[in-house]
Amino acid sequence: MIGRFPAALLLAAAAPVAAPAGQAVPTSAAARAAALAGDYTAAQMELVAALRLSPDGTFRYALTVGALDETARGKWRLTGDVIELTSDPRPRPPAIEAAPPQSTPGAPFGLRVLAPNGADVPAVDFVIEFDSGPPLTAYTPGDRWILPATERRTPRFVTFSAPRYRLPSTRLPLDPQAGRTAIFQLVPNDVGVADLTGAHLTVEGDTLTLHREDGTLRFQRATR
């Protein structure tokens, strides 16, 4: 995985940020923000995550769930009981681009999605639009995908998506011809790096709940 940074290693990667102990509840915004600085962890079935809020207003985040690893870093600020996050620098999302087609004499029209090393990328969802009728939804099998023999319509456009890479694609034109395979190239950019700009954390004592487009995750302050 490009950009792999197991979440379990995040807290060990830097010096501890001490959590305040036995002090009065801060009243000023600056004091409240200072009190929130520290390390937080989250753990669920097959998931481990870590979050560090540094006193200088920067944060680091990492998550591992199943085969997915992601990281993020940037700036944080406290507004009321909400911590606003801004990724800095903002990551470039991965993309899929059209590449020159491949000649496959005697074979029906098909398509492939290739990684930078030339290997087929499996489990990339796609939707093909035709010259008429409803679209066809399928996914890359990790090899050459072939248009079904029963399909008599003419493919015109394809749109890819891969949730595990947070990858949407533009609507890409198709030039279907027998004996030709349409080739599409995965451009990784900053795959594995989450853009947390616009995400926020709600504060409830020593619990921080991360709110982002794809759901929520509860962190507890780590003890050292």
Side-chain angles (χ1 to χ4, degrees):
M1 171 68 72
I2 298 173
R4 184 177 177 88
F5 196 123
L9 300 181
L10 178 60
L11 297 183
V17 176
Q23 66 181 48
V25 176
T27 55
S28 72
R32 292 181 64 231
L36 288 169
D39 297 327
Y40 298 81
T41 59
Q44 301 174 6
M45 184 177 296
E46 296 187 353
L47 179 151
V48 60
L51 173 70
R52 164 159 291 176
L53 300 180
S54 296
D56 64 359
T58 61
F59 76 88
R60 292 188 66 188
Y61 156 92
L63 174 144
T64 298
V65 54
L68 171 68
D69 292 334
E70 69 175 14
T71 63
R73 62 189 176 97
K75 300 174 182 178
W76 68 277
R77 69 173 185 176
L78 179 66
T79 303
D81 289 325
V82 173
I83 296 172
E84 300 173 350
L85 301 176
T86 303
S87 287
D88 184 22
R90 295 194 71 170
R92 296 176 302 156
I96 288 183
E97 300 176 350
Q102 179 183 29
S103 177
T104 47
F109 174 73
L111 64 81
R112 300 171 69 190
V113 175
L114 303 181
N117 63 1
D120 285 272
V121 181
V124 177
D125 299 324
F126 61 87
V127 176
I128 291 181
E129 299 173 60
F130 296 89
D131 54 352
S132 64
L136 180 151
T137 301
Y139 61 89
T140 55
D143 199 346
R144 183 175 181 269
W145 179 87
I146 299 172
L147 187 70
T150 56
E151 183 56 73
R152 303 302 181 191
R153 297 173 297 167
T154 302
R156 293 302 187 194
F157 298 95
V158 61
T159 304
F160 295 95
S161 65
R164 65 176 176 156
Y165 298 130
R166 304 188 187 280
L167 167 72
S169 82
T170 57
R171 188 168 172 254
L172 301 167
L174 290 172
D175 181 18
Q177 297 181 28
R180 173 179 289 187
T181 297
I183 302 297
F184 298 92
Q185 190 76 44
L186 174 66
V187 182
N189 292 328
D190 294 321
V191 64
V193 181
D195 187 354
L196 295 186
T197 299
H200 66 276
L201 298 151
T202 51
V203 181
E204 302 173 72
D206 285 338
T207 300
L208 302 181
T209 302
L210 174 64
H211 301 263
R212 50 191 295 190
E213 288 185 357
D214 53 0
T216 61
L217 183 60
R218 291 171 64 88
F219 289 86
Q220 294 291 331
R221 185 182 286 275
T223 57
R224 293 244 177 206

